[in-house]
């Protein structure tokens, strides 16, 4: 029962990371809105998800994990209904931000509740089902969004969450046991500083697409203020007795490499996904369903390849497998940059999709073990939460950054105008992922540290901010 409850809830939250991307052209047509506003329909969700995830885990530690899990589920459900009823693009963006806040509570607590509910002997099977449901959410997001938009309406990509959420909430109350964690202090100043700081940085990147460009005082002011608030967050975390994210963990080269590599991967991947779905529908005039089906060559590949990547990582170590996967993903983007044209065929594009799918599988399959082995056993919970939050942050930054490159070099005026912007954005995405591959090569700890922190193979992660399964956005 616990596996079903937590798995379905995480499936909904993961699905909404990507379900909206194939609906963007339809939303643009029905509600209006600029490229900047389309970016915020994605970024509002991923930003709230990223900056509030560890705070959501702390809420569960203090007020009860089951109680906060249900509260997060109901918040996500209510926000889904609000998104479906949004009369304009502004209201949709606001609802997406609240959705992200609900997901930030649900995701870390779902895996923690599952870990505590299932006996150790059956935990591997339960976590396997949980991970499969999250993988299905990643693979099915663009396809589900395309089918629903084309055959029902774009509002139903959000309405579909409502009956599921209302059904799961009372079942969760009866089927999950209440528990609390050792960290019962909330880092409100830290949450406030990092939320506003990251919002300022992303707002500046998005705003630079228009409104006077990079020299606009509002853009410069937003970027400077965001950077200052993030710096203040770092200083606060170093001084407070109950930090959301202990800065001392980043002295660990392996932990820093895993987080930097994950952020760079998300920058490239989510930025490219944001643009390629619009290319397929706006320039090549594919239906939302056709676009979703074609993306399966990329998004469904991890379901096939991940088991083999996991076996390979057990034999040779996670670090080379992750670096190899990122190199494949970068190669896929570079290939697209070389062949893209307004009338490029799907057969010509297909190698890029396949390279990207295999690359993502090789990246995510060993990632959890690589993260856990990079830190002490007592730090594993917060490490997994930090890595998840970093990837969500990378998704928001990637959409903003690559859309800015696209707007600076091209636009929607014609097919060639779109390609003129898309190709430089692809090169930037490829460079970000290639840099991630290089960074991941440093994700190793000194031998002495590894021996000191060695843990049994099935050590249970600490309950704080457990790692959710990957979402492309993870």
């Amino acid at each position: 029962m616990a596996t079903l409850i937590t798995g379905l809830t995480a499936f909904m939250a993961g699905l909404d990371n990507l379900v909206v991307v194939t609906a963007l052209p339809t939303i643009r047509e029905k509600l209006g809105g600029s490229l900047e506003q389309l970016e915020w329909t994605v970024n509002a969700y991923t930003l709230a998800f990223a900056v509030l995830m560890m705070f959501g885990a702390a809420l569960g530690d203090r007020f009860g994990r089951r109680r906060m899990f249900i509260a997060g589920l109901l918040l996500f459900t209510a926000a889904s209904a609000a998104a479906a009823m949004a009369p304009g693009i502004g209201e949709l963006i606001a609802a997406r931000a609240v959705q992200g806040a609900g997901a930030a509570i649900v995701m870390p607590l779902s895996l923690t509740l599952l870990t505590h509910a299932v006996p150790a002997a059956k935990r591997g099977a339960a976590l396997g089902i949980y991970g499969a449901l999250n993988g299905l959410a990643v693979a099915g997001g663009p396809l589900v969004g395309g089918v629903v938009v084309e055959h029902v309406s774009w509002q139903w990509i959000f309405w579909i969450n409502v009956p599921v959420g209302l059904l799961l909430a009372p079942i969760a109350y009866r089927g999950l046991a209440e528990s609390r964690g050792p960290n019962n202090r909330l880092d409100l100043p830290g949450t406030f500083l990092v939320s506003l700081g990251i919002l300022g940085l992303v707002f500046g990147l998005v705003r630079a697409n228009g409104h006077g460009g990079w020299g606009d005082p509002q853009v410069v002011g937003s970027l400077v203020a965001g950077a200052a608030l993030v710096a203040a967050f770092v200083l606060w975390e170093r001084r407070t007795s109950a930090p959301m994210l202990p800065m001392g963990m980043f002295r660990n080269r392996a932990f820093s490499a895993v987080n930097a590599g994950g952020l760079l991967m998300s920058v490239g991947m989510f930025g490219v996904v944001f643009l390629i779905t619009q290319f397929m529908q706006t320039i090549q005039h594919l239906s939302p369903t056709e676009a979703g089906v074609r993306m399966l060559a990329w998004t469904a590949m991890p379901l096939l390849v991940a088991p083999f990547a996991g076996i390979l990582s057990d034999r040779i170590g996670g670090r080379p497998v992750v670096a190899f996967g990122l190199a494949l993903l970068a190669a896929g983007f570079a290939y697209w940059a070389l062949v893209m044209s307004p009338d490029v065929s799907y057969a010509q594009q297909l190698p890029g999709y396949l390279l990207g799918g295999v690359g993502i599988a090789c990246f995510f399959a060993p990632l959890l073990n690589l993260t856990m082995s990079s830190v002490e056993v007592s730090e594993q919970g917060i490490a997994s939460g930090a890595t998840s939050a970093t990837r969500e942050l990378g998704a928001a930054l990637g959409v903003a950054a690559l859309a800015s490159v696209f707007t600076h070099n091209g636009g929607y005026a014609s097919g060639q105008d779109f390609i003129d912007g898309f190709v430089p954005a692809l090169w930037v995405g490829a460079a970000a992922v290639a840099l991630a591959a290089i960074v991941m090569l440093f994700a190793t700890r000194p031998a002495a540290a590894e021996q000191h922190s060695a843990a049994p193979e099935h050590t249970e992660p600490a309950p704080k901010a457990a790692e959710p399964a990957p979402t492309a956005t993870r």
Side-chain angles (χ1 to χ4, degrees):
M1 179 62 74
T3 304
L4 179 65
I5 296 167
T6 57
L8 285 177
T9 305
F11 175 84
M12 281 200 307
L15 191 72
D16 274 58
N17 234 334
L18 284 178
V19 74
V20 75
V21 293
T22 43
L24 289 176
T26 302
I27 291 172
R28 184 168 176 245
E29 177 186 342
K30 299 296 184 181
L31 296 183
S34 62
L35 176 66
E36 176 182 334
Q37 290 171 314
L38 289 181
E39 289 177 63
W40 281 114
T41 63
V42 177
N43 283 344
Y45 184 89
T46 54
L47 267 181
F49 201 165
V51 300
L52 296 176
M53 187 181 297
M54 298 181 74
F55 184 70
L59 286 174
D61 284 352
R62 179 168 184 175
F63 297 110
R65 293 174 182 139
R66 183 186 64 180
R67 178 182 299 168
M68 294 311 304
F69 175 83
I70 294 172
L73 175 59
L74 292 175
L75 181 64
F76 181 87
T77 302
S80 297
M85 295 186 292
I89 194 73
E91 292 84 356
L92 176 60
I93 291 169
R96 287 283 288 166
V98 179
Q99 258 194 319
I105 299 172
V106 163
M107 285 297 283
L109 295 180
S110 63
L111 194 51
T112 307
L113 286 165
L114 177 60
T115 301
H116 282 77
V118 179
K122 299 181 179 180
R123 195 169 296 153
L127 292 175
I129 295 171
Y130 179 95
L133 286 170
N134 278 269
L136 186 61
V138 174
L143 179 59
V144 169
V147 171
V148 171
V149 168
E150 183 175 352
H151 298 289
V152 189
S153 72
W154 71 265
Q155 288 93 339
W156 274 94
I157 64 175
F158 302 115
W159 276 127
I160 198 171
N161 295 328
V162 175
V164 179
L166 292 177
L167 179 65
L168 284 176
I171 296 176
Y173 182 79
R174 292 178 175 272
L176 298 175
E178 185 61 281
S179 65
R180 285 178 167 81
N183 178 28
N184 59 8
R185 297 180 61 183
L186 301 179
D187 185 10
L188 293 175
T191 302
F192 178 79
L193 288 171
V194 73
S195 300
L196 288 184
I198 293 173
L199 178 62
L201 292 174
V202 174
F203 180 84
L205 287 171
V206 173
R207 199 73 171 172
N209 294 337
H211 307 281
W214 291 99
D216 183 81
Q218 193 175 51
V219 172
V220 174
S222 178
L223 292 173
V224 171
L229 286 167
V230 170
F233 166 73
V234 173
L235 292 174
W236 170 259
E237 295 298 286
R238 294 180 64 180
R239 296 181 60 183
T240 183
S241 59
M244 174 196 307
L245 180 60
M247 290 294 115
M249 294 179 68
F250 288 97
R251 298 192 191 100
N252 180 332
R253 186 182 70 185
F255 179 74
S256 296
V258 167
N259 280 273
L263 185 142
L264 288 166
M265 183 281 301
S266 289
V267 165
M269 189 184 73
F270 275 85
V272 170
V273 168
F274 176 77
L275 292 171
I276 199 165
T277 53
Q278 296 184 69
F279 168 73
M280 288 191 286
Q281 295 180 66
T282 303
I283 305 304
Q284 297 204 313
H285 307 293
L286 299 175
S287 70
T289 301
E290 290 172 327
V293 169
R294 293 188 180 205
M295 286 193 71
L296 282 176
W298 182 2
T299 57
M301 189 61 66
L303 296 177
L304 303 175
V305 178
F308 301 100
I311 293 171
L312 183 62
S313 68
D314 287 339
R315 292 186 177 181
I316 67 173
R319 186 165 54 99
V321 176
V322 167
F324 175 71
L326 290 170
L328 288 182
L329 182 59
F333 292 165
Y335 172 82
W336 274 343
L338 293 172
V339 304
M340 276 296 169
S341 66
D343 56 355
V344 63
S345 69
Y346 181 65
Q348 289 175 290
Q349 297 175 55
L350 186 58
Y353 284 109
L354 296 176
L355 284 169
V358 175
I360 286 298
C362 291
F363 173 80
F364 278 118
L367 186 66
L368 179 58
N369 186 48
L370 195 62
T371 302
M372 293 301 133
S373 63
S374 71
V375 297
E376 306 291 341
V377 175
S378 61
E379 299 174 326
Q380 286 181 344
I382 196 168
S384 61
T387 304
S388 296
T390 300
R391 290 202 309 273
E392 292 294 332
L393 172 59
L397 292 173
V399 170
L402 268 65
S404 181
V405 173
F406 168 82
T407 304
H408 182 73
N409 293 279
Y412 293 94
S414 66
Q416 189 57 51
D417 191 40
F418 192 99
I419 293 299
D420 289 342
F422 189 26
V423 169
L426 282 169
W427 283 119
V428 172
V433 178
L435 182 58
I438 295 171
V439 168
M440 279 294 188
L441 292 175
F442 294 91
T444 183
R445 301 182 69 190
E450 290 182 353
Q451 293 172 4
H452 182 265
S453 62
E457 182 179 353
H458 297 292
T459 299
E460 178 183 332
K464 180 169 177 64
E467 165 82 352
T471 62
T473 242
R474 68 256 167 149

